[in-house]
Amino acid sequence: MREHAAVGVGVYLAVLTAFLGAAASLYLGRRLCRLSRLVGDRGLCIGGCALWVYAAGLLVEALGLLHAAIPLAHGHLALGRPELVERLLAGRGVLLASPFYAVSYTLSAVAIYVSHMEVDGGSRLYAAVPLIVQLYFDFNLVLLAVLAAALAGTLRYGRPGAAGPIYYGMLILSHAAALLLPYSGAPELVYASTMLRGAAPLALLAPSGGR
């Protein structure tokens, strides 16, 4: 019973963090789209859309974990192998949310290129590269590659002291943790990756003071 209670606490903490992160993402996305209209930068609005899609992914992941919390907390592990059932239930929300994260991260990378690459010639074609690459390679590895591109763009073009590098760094850690799941089989990695993704928009929101 003590073990099931510990699992329940981990699930609920991950769900709470994900809900807070989704709220922060929706708020930040709205701000970016407003700012885009003011300054005429389409990249900002694309970035705002990326945050809205990210919020949807967090909500799907949180609801999946919340649905899993009921049988986990009460020990209803009917398939006879508790560790297998726990792993499947914990990972379901992450699996369902993965397409949302893929779209969000791709839009984030595209937004950076649209905002900062040169307009002349065919340079803006590079904005489509993350979309093309995503079709051909392993899912999590591509997410990490796209996030790395977004992090590199933020480090090069971002404002000094902005929280963008922290945001993308936390996302990279979250998907790096997901890559370890097949090797360790520990559902705690799922909870940790969810908490990192939920906390990332909060870290992005913190320096702005909610303005």
Side-chain angles (χ1 to χ4, degrees):
M1 289 297 293
R2 188 181 305 171
E3 183 178 341
H4 292 311
V7 169
V9 170
V11 171
Y12 291 127
L13 184 59
V15 167
L16 176 61
T17 312
F19 278 137
L20 291 173
S25 296
L26 290 171
Y27 173 70
L28 286 166
R30 185 165 173 264
R31 286 181 58 190
L32 282 177
C33 283
R34 281 185 171 182
L35 183 60
S36 173
R37 288 194 293 269
L38 289 174
V39 301
D41 185 349
R42 287 181 297 175
L44 290 175
C45 195
I46 295 173
C49 292
L51 285 168
W52 288 339
V53 177
Y54 183 81
L58 276 175
L59 290 174
V60 169
E61 184 170 356
L63 291 173
L65 284 175
L66 194 59
H67 188 262
I70 299 172
L72 289 177
H74 293 85
H76 296 160
L77 305 172
L79 298 184
R81 292 186 58 190
E83 70 282 357
L84 174 61
V85 179
E86 183 177 332
R87 222 175 298 159
L88 289 172
L89 288 175
R92 181 172 52 189
V94 180
L95 181 64
L96 292 174
S98 291
F100 292 95
Y101 295 140
V103 173
S104 174
Y105 302 158
T106 302
L107 287 174
S108 293
V110 168
I112 293 168
Y113 282 97
V114 167
S115 291
H116 297 289
M117 293 196 69
E118 294 178 0
V119 178
D120 59 340
S123 60
R124 281 183 183 251
L125 291 175
Y126 287 107
V129 169
L131 290 167
I132 297 169
V133 171
Q134 187 177 304
L135 298 175
Y136 296 100
F137 296 96
D138 178 77
F139 212 59
N140 264 306
L141 290 176
V142 171
L143 296 184
L144 288 172
V146 173
L147 284 169
L151 176 60
T154 301
L155 290 173
R156 182 172 181 180
Y157 302 113
R159 292 180 292 106
I166 298 175
Y167 173 75
Y168 290 114
M170 293 176 74
L171 295 180
I172 287 170
L173 285 176
S174 77
H175 286 283
L179 284 175
L180 298 175
L181 184 62
Y183 303 100
S184 70
E188 288 78 13
L189 283 173
V190 175
Y191 310 146
S193 64
T194 300
M195 282 188 276
L196 280 168
R197 283 190 288 275
L202 300 176
L204 195 62
L205 178 62
S208 70
R211 295 190 298 274

